[in-house]
Amino acid sequence: MLPNMSKQEDLKGKVAIITGASRGIGAALARRFASEGAKVVVAAKSEQPKPTLPGSIHTVAEEVRGLGAEALPLKVDVSKQEDIENLVQQTVDTFGGIDVVINNAGALWWQDVAETPMKRFDLMMNVNARASFALTQAALPYLLKSRAGHVLVFSPPIDLSALPGKVAYLISKFGMTMLAIGLAEELKGKGVAINALWPVTAIESQATINFKLGGPKTWRKPDILCDAVMEVLTTDPAELSGHALLDEDFLRERGYTDFAKYRCDPDHEPPRIMAKDLPKAGPLWGN
């Protein structure tokens, strides 16, 4: 149970980097941040929409501008160190600093060890664990200057019982959670928070659509993650850091009671699906 926490100022004028922002959850966050007055860096690989991967950094940037906010679309392969460094430098050159980093880009491969080629293992380590570490590290000097900086990684609480059948994937995802827990201790008292956040249900996104992971009856809208993210980002960093949060549970602790509004099918409440319940699937690079 989290203690009662004080809210800090909203996101107006804050500079937020979102990786994997060309579609799905990343794009939904970009729109939400824009509506809150943030300056949004739309970072992803996609410069042109595709039939199975609609959206691009440019289409999302236009949506952000349409909501009255500033946008910086940047083509970024988060597995490449030079792209990470360029992302941070261009953000600072354009907007003067960094206040928020959302590590949303992800690679997915839910298979047994014997069925996991090393190129898939390397991809997940590079896109999930390494990219989150590298971007957070590169942005850290500017987050410290912010004095109210926030980093989020999208990864689950560590549950070793979930490993069988998803060992490679969860090594990379639990690594992200370990980053949040460990770095939070290193940053105590320095005005920067880092937390992990994970949904308790499947979220409607290009990943769930393309892999046919359920359907509207089993999905929630990305809005629930957007609300949870906003609750994190508007909390004083000194009061919320180093946690592995679950979206619904966290929102209930914050006083939310209406979860029917997040259903994709208004007549069906999606089931909770924890990391150990994930089905076999792969591959996908979500940005």
Side-chain angles (χ1 to χ4, degrees), residues 140-167:
L140 195 53
Y142 305 101
L143 292 164
L144 289 165
K145 290 179 183 178
S146 169
R147 300 303 302 167
H150 284 274
V151 178
L152 270 176
V153 295
F154 285 153
S155 57
I158 295 172
D159 175 6
L160 299 184
S161 71
L163 285 168
K166 297 171 285 291
V167 170

Side-chain angles (χ1 to χ4, degrees), residues 1 22 25 28 46 50 55 93 139 149 163-164 175 182 188 191 220 223 245 248 259 275 285:
M1 194 75 174
S22 58
I25 293 166
S46 298
K50 298 178 182 178
D93 289 347
L163 285 168
K188 266 190 174 178
R220 276 181 173 158
D223 303 43
L245 305 167
E248 179 180 331
F259 289 84
W285 187 345

Side-chain angles (χ1 to χ4, degrees), residues 115-220:
E115 303 302 321
T116 301
M118 286 310 300
K119 67 177 182 179
R120 296 298 175 193
F121 179 91
D122 292 342
L123 178 65
M124 285 187 293
M125 289 301 296
N126 287 335
V127 174
N128 298 342
R130 187 191 186 282
S132 295
F133 188 101
L135 177 54
T136 302
Q137 182 188 67
L140 195 53
Y142 305 101
L143 292 164
L144 289 165
K145 290 179 183 178
S146 169
R147 300 303 302 167
H150 284 274
V151 178
L152 270 176
V153 295
F154 285 153
S155 57
I158 295 172
D159 175 6
L160 299 184
S161 71
L163 285 168
K166 297 171 285 291
V167 170
Y169 176 73
L170 289 177
I171 288 173
S172 70
K173 280 295 183 178
F174 288 164
M176 295 167 68
T177 305
M178 292 169 70
L179 170 66
I181 294 169
L183 183 56
E185 286 296 313
E186 296 177 12
L187 294 176
K188 266 190 174 178
K190 296 183 178 179
V192 178
I194 177 168
N195 291 283
L197 178 65
W198 192 249
V200 302
T201 64
I203 301 295
E204 182 183 28
S205 68
Q206 217 55 47
T208 52
I209 292 169
N210 286 350
F211 279 127
K212 298 180 173 59
L213 300 176
K217 292 180 180 179
T218 60
W219 296 340
R220 276 181 173 158

Side-chain angles (χ1 to χ4, degrees), residues 40-64:
V40 183
V41 181
V42 181
K45 289 177 67 180
S46 298
E47 289 191 287
Q48 297 293 333
K50 298 178 182 178
T52 58
L53 293 173
S56 73
I57 55 174
H58 301 295
T59 59
V60 174
E62 283 305 305
E63 291 182 278
V64 167

